[in-house]
Amino acid sequence: MTSILDGLETTAQVTTPKNPFQRIIGQEHAVSIVQSAVKQRRHVLLCGVPGIGKSMLAKAAYTLLSPPKQEIRLRRNKSQPDRPIVVISKHENGPENQSVEDRSSFSFYLSPDRLPIDISIKMGYRCPKCGEISSPADPSCLDCGATKRCDWLGSDSYHALFRILDVGSEPALRTVTSLEEIAGVSYHTMYEQSNNNEISVTRRRVEEGVNTEQEQITDAERVLVAKDSCRFIRVSGASHVELLGDVKHDPYGSAESLGMAAHLRVIPGAIHEAHEGILYIDEVSALGPHQSHLLTAMQDRIYPISGHNPLSSGAAVRVDNVPCEFILFASCNPENIGAILPALRSRIRGYGYEIMLMSWMKKNNENINNVVRFISQTVEEDGKIPHLTVNSIEEVISVAEKMAIHYDGQRNALTLRLRELGGLIRIAGDLAVQDSAQLVQPEHVKKAEVLSRGIDLENLHSYSYGVPEAASRDYFF
Ligand SMILES: Nc1ncnc2c1ncn2[C@@H]1O[C@H](COP(=O)(O)OP(=O)(O)OP(=O)(O)O)[C@@H](O)[C@H]1O
Ligand SMILES: [Mg+2]
């Protein structure tokens, strides 16, 4: 193969693929296994050093899945309120196929800006003064600075302290109920904060003489995993509650007439949200002993949700048989592979693949072309930096070569630690923008090479006079 560099002037001339698998460079072996694994709904363990495309592979795999067919909802269990009932609706029979008039209750999601004004103020999204929308975690309006309702739990400790001092304002509500009339029909509506900064809205038609308002709201089904939700769920191995779900505390939880019904307090785990989709766990070994719960979920394809805090009223609630039929994509650093539960690895090997990703590739024309394509992809994705001249490309290739020697001891090779190489390209681009240059020049790449080294922890003393002496050292040799 001839080098793409022959006759090339800038990276703007390089065509980049749209297909997410084709954008992954140097991991052809992993790409072909993942493609067939997903079609067969197999689990995958991706092992490799940081920044070589593990997350990219998992996201690309998701594009091969067909849309989910099921929605998971919870219904109040009248005889045993602490054991809500799971309802699985298939799309074909879901409420979305009925006309609005036929539906006695239905749920959907709204973004904060589409909420009724009074509701969005109560939930801490809208500023009561100027009407601007911001997160309930922000104690004051980002636009006019006025104090607004704030979510203490969602805010950081500094802002929480600020709220304690600012006794005049009220906390944001996570759940608001109201009576609404739509096209002549009255509904009890419940607005509830859910993940991804969306609000789940549940409407139940008011049927005269049947139930009290409180009962109507309580009887509404709760959507646990919505039909249109994205089923690529990414979690870090750090939180098992995020992984397995939880039940919120309610001080009146045991008194049904006062508190919020149990099924309305259930929070799905990532394993449930990834039902029919992909559960991507970054650094799976960090789950420690909780890996066994993951294994159970993979084996049984259902996993109960219960409250994790024994001091909370949520601990009394349990929902059995919540489906969690996900494909597991787990990632791990090679040095942590020993910390993965042998039973979990065996499960993955038995029903899927363990794949080791490469951290370098041979320096040949084909792979030089791949690096050039990567540079072009990085410029395109960034959107704020100019393209590179052919001389700058050569400079980046020489850094890629030095990195392969430095990190992997490989000569005549190119690094595949592409997150880091991408960082170098972005810094070089920023320097070109600073110089008002139309294209990134070799000197920008050279300067970026020094800057992209970051802070050298082993030579902190060299910074003691504020002069980064380490920067003038040759980094790699
Ligand atoms: N093989 C690759 N092909 C193309 N781009 C890559 C590749 N590897 C990394 N990149 C670039 O680096 C970025 C980070 O990659 P990614 O998040 O997939 O790394 P990772 O292996 O999951 O790292 P970590 O272990 O830190 O999670 C990507 O968004 C992409 O721009
Ligand atoms: Mg990653």
Side-chain angles (χ1 to χ4, degrees), residues 55 234 280 282:
S55 303
R234 181 180 174 160
Y280 181 58
D282 249 335

Coordinates of all heavy atoms in Angstrom, one line a residue, residues 55 234 280 282, ligand 2:
S55 N -14.2 2.0 25.2 CA -15.5 2.6 25.2 C -16.0 2.8 23.8 O -17.2 2.6 23.5 CB -15.5 3.9 25.9 OG -15.0 3.8 27.2
R234 N -23.9 3.1 30.9 CA -22.5 3.0 31.2 C -22.3 3.3 32.7 O -22.9 4.3 33.2 CB -21.8 4.1 30.4 CG -20.3 4.1 30.7 CD -19.7 5.2 29.8 NE -18.3 5.3 30.2 CZ -17.4 5.8 29.5 NH1 -17.6 6.3 28.3 NH2 -16.1 5.8 30.0
Y280 N -22.4 -1.3 30.0 CA -20.9 -1.1 29.9 C -20.4 -0.8 31.2 O -20.7 0.3 31.8 CB -20.6 0.0 28.8 CG -19.1 0.2 28.7 CD1 -18.3 -0.9 28.3 CD2 -18.5 1.4 28.9 CE1 -16.9 -0.7 28.1 CE2 -17.2 1.6 28.7 CZ -16.4 0.5 28.3 OH -15.0 0.7 28.2
D282 N -17.1 0.2 33.2 CA -15.7 0.6 33.2 C -15.0 0.0 34.4 O -15.5 0.2 35.5 CB -15.7 2.1 33.3 CG -15.2 2.8 32.0 OD1 -14.5 2.1 31.2 OD2 -15.6 3.9 31.8
Ligands
MG2 MG -13.4 4.0 28.5

